[in-house]
Amino acid sequence: MAQEPESFPMEMPDPPASSAGPNLWGVVLRRKWIIVFGMLVGLGFGYLYFLQCPPVFQADAQVLVIRKQPDVLPVQGISVLSYYEDYLPTHIGLIKSPWIVGRAVKKRQLHTLRSYAALRDPTASIIAALSVNRDSKDGNVSSSNILRLSIRGPIAEECGTVLNAVMESYQDFLGDTYQDVSEKTLHLITEAKDELRADLKEKGDRYLDFRKHSPLLWTGKAGANIHQQRLAQFEDARSTLLVKKADLVGRLKAVENALQNGGSRLALAVIAARSAGGTSTGSGGLASPLDDAIFPLLLQEKMLLEDYGPDYPGVQELRRKIELTKEHYTQRADAIDKANQMAGRDGDGGDGFDPIAFYVESLKQELQESEDIYNSLTEAFE
């Protein structure tokens, strides 16, 4: 009898998952107790840490630092912004420096606080807990000049105490620094002023001594050398005499040449009379030649009077010269008047008076007097 083949039931494979989401969720559901257990263990350890970890408090403060503003310097009509320094980073490092914090610890006795009871010097611990940052201004940190200070500690009220002590130490440091700079600046200015005042006084005393002993004639602030003025006056007088001498020499030579060449004596007499009359003022007097002759003598007399007085022999001699000159010109004036009377009727003069010879002689005499006066002025000039 033939046996039928044995049949076994066939298991169909699971259809492939369409996505990883249902499989992951299934794994979570199948192992949810493990996940819940892990969360409970984590919460337990966190609670234990919270119970054992001490609380941390924070105190905050803000400090406004005035920034140096740029100055406008006009350079040939062009406005140029001068360089200025942004020193806020320097102040940040200054606040957290051991110098500032150490001074705060010593001044406010911060080592006696409970937060730092276990530390001999809490300066390093405070620096580590202190944070100084530049506050943001409209999202731009670099444009702000406000510093935000914060410090953390285990005791809330002591955080504020420490932060206030640090800020007070920082303020004292700035005050001492600027006060020291101001005092030094004031001392330098005062010292420079005293030195300048002493120097000006010395220069003023030397200037007054110079004016007292210098040979200058002072009129206000301007000074003129009196000797130079005298030399100029002597030179002017000598120049005038040189011109006069040249005129006398020329007239004398012209008359002598006319006599040698047989010129008319009557014409020469008229010329002599007119020449004498042209320089005369009133009845034949020679006022202008007399002034020219006496003026240098009077000038020299005045100068000698200023230096030596009226009893000086040179003054007495000059006064004698002045009197002799006046007598001479008085006699000459009388003679010229007589010459004017004779010139109209006869060139030879009816009474034996020769006006031409007198004219020549007067020119020679005047030339000699001019020469003498010139020599006297030259001697005074030297």
Side-chain angles (χ1 to χ4, degrees), residues 10-84:
M10 300 181 62
E11 295 182 1
M12 299 298 294
D14 295 334
S18 61
S19 64
N23 291 335
L24 180 60
W25 182 248
V27 171
V28 173
L29 290 178
R30 286 194 297 268
R31 294 171 176 80
K32 58 185 177 179
W33 296 110
I34 298 176
I35 297 176
V36 172
F37 178 75
M39 291 177 63
L40 293 176
V41 172
L43 291 175
F45 279 107
Y47 182 71
L48 292 176
Y49 177 77
F50 174 76
L51 293 178
Q52 295 179 359
C53 182
V56 178
F57 301 94
Q58 179 174 323
D60 296 323
Q62 288 181 330
V63 176
L64 175 63
V65 180
I66 303 299
R67 186 191 308 176
K68 185 191 299 183
Q69 298 296 329
D71 300 327
V72 178
L73 300 177
V75 179
Q76 297 182 354
I78 302 177
S79 297
V80 181
L81 295 179
S82 63
Y83 172 77
Y84 69 96

Side-chain angles (χ1 to χ4, degrees), residues 19 23 27 34 58 107 126 148 185 191 226 288 311 330 347:
S19 64
N23 291 335
V27 171
I34 298 176
Q58 179 174 323
K107 184 176 181 179
I126 294 175
R148 181 179 296 275
T185 303
E191 184 179 357
I226 187 172
S288 180
D311 297 332
T330 301

Side-chain angles (χ1 to χ4, degrees), residues 106-121:
K106 293 180 181 179
K107 184 176 181 179
R108 292 302 178 184
Q109 301 295 318
L110 299 182
H111 59 278
T112 60
L113 299 178
R114 291 180 297 168
S115 301
Y116 311 106
L119 299 176
R120 183 177 180 181
D121 185 7

Side-chain angles (χ1 to χ4, degrees), residues 33 49 60 78 82 90 96 105 111 138 141 144 146 157 172 193 202 217 223 235 241 264 266 288-289 308 324 327 364:
W33 296 110
Y49 177 77
D60 296 323
I78 302 177
S82 63
T90 304
K96 296 189 64 176
V105 171
H111 59 278
D138 299 332
V141 178
S144 175
I146 298 177
E157 58 272 14
D172 293 342
K193 183 184 69 174
E202 180 186 357
L217 181 62
E235 185 61 27
L241 287 175
S264 173
L266 180 60
S288 180
Y308 303 103
L324 292 175
E327 292 178 2
K364 291 180 179 180

Side-chain angles (χ1 to χ4, degrees), residues 74-309:
V75 179
Q76 297 182 354
I78 302 177
S79 297
V80 181
L81 295 179
S82 63
Y83 172 77
Y84 69 96
E85 179 186 3
D86 181 13
Y87 49 84
L88 255 67
T90 304
H91 283 258
I92 293 175
L94 180 63
I95 294 174
K96 296 189 64 176
S97 65
W99 173 259
I100 298 297
V101 178
R103 291 180 60 178
V105 171
K106 293 180 181 179
K107 184 176 181 179
R108 292 302 178 184
Q109 301 295 318
L110 299 182
H111 59 278
T112 60
L113 299 178
R114 291 180 297 168
S115 301
Y116 311 106
L119 299 176
R120 183 177 180 181
D121 185 7
T123 301
S125 179
I126 294 175
I127 293 176
L130 181 63
S131 176
V132 183
N133 297 308
R134 199 169 189 171
D135 197 4
S136 62
K137 180 179 179 181
D138 299 332
N140 188 2
V141 178
S142 61
S143 63
S144 175
N145 55 349
I146 298 177
L147 297 180
R148 181 179 296 275
L149 286 69
S150 62
I151 190 169
R152 292 186 176 187
I155 302 175
E157 58 272 14
E158 291 185 355
C159 291
T161 302
V162 174
L163 190 58
N164 289 331
V166 172
M167 293 176 61
E168 183 179 357
S169 177
Y170 168 66
Q171 185 175 0
D172 293 342
F173 172 78
L174 294 181
D176 295 341
T177 302
Y178 289 121
Q179 183 179 3
D180 184 63
V181 172
S182 300
E183 290 179 354
K184 288 183 179 179
T185 303
L186 179 61
H187 175 71
L188 291 175
I189 293 175
T190 305
E191 184 179 357
K193 183 184 69 174
D194 295 339
E195 292 180 359
L196 181 60
R197 181 178 297 173
D199 187 59
L200 287 176
K201 186 178 183 304
E202 180 186 357
K203 295 296 189 297
D205 294 341
R206 291 174 58 185
Y207 175 68
L208 292 178
D209 185 70
F210 163 75
R211 291 188 57 171
K212 184 184 300 183
H213 297 89
S214 63
L216 298 179
L217 181 62
W218 295 95
T219 56
K221 294 183 178 181
N225 194 318
I226 187 172
H227 299 297
Q228 290 182 352
Q229 290 182 348
R230 290 179 178 179
L231 288 177
Q233 292 173 351
F234 279 127
E235 185 61 27
D236 291 341
R238 292 202 311 169
S239 299
T240 302
L241 287 175
L242 285 176
V243 175
K244 183 179 180 181
K245 286 171 57 179
D247 177 66
L248 291 174
V249 170
R251 285 193 288 170
L252 181 61
K253 185 176 293 186
V255 173
E256 291 178 347
N257 291 336
L259 290 175
Q260 292 178 1
N261 296 329
S264 173
R265 296 182 60 83
L266 180 60
L268 291 177
V270 172
I271 293 175
R274 288 181 179 179
S275 176
T279 58
S280 64
T281 57
S283 71
L286 297 181
S288 180
L290 178 61
D291 293 338
D292 293 341
I294 291 181
F295 174 75
L297 300 176
L298 293 175
L299 180 63
Q300 188 175 3
E301 178 191 15
K302 183 177 179 180
M303 294 178 180
L304 292 177
L305 285 173
E306 291 178 357
D307 293 336
Y308 303 103

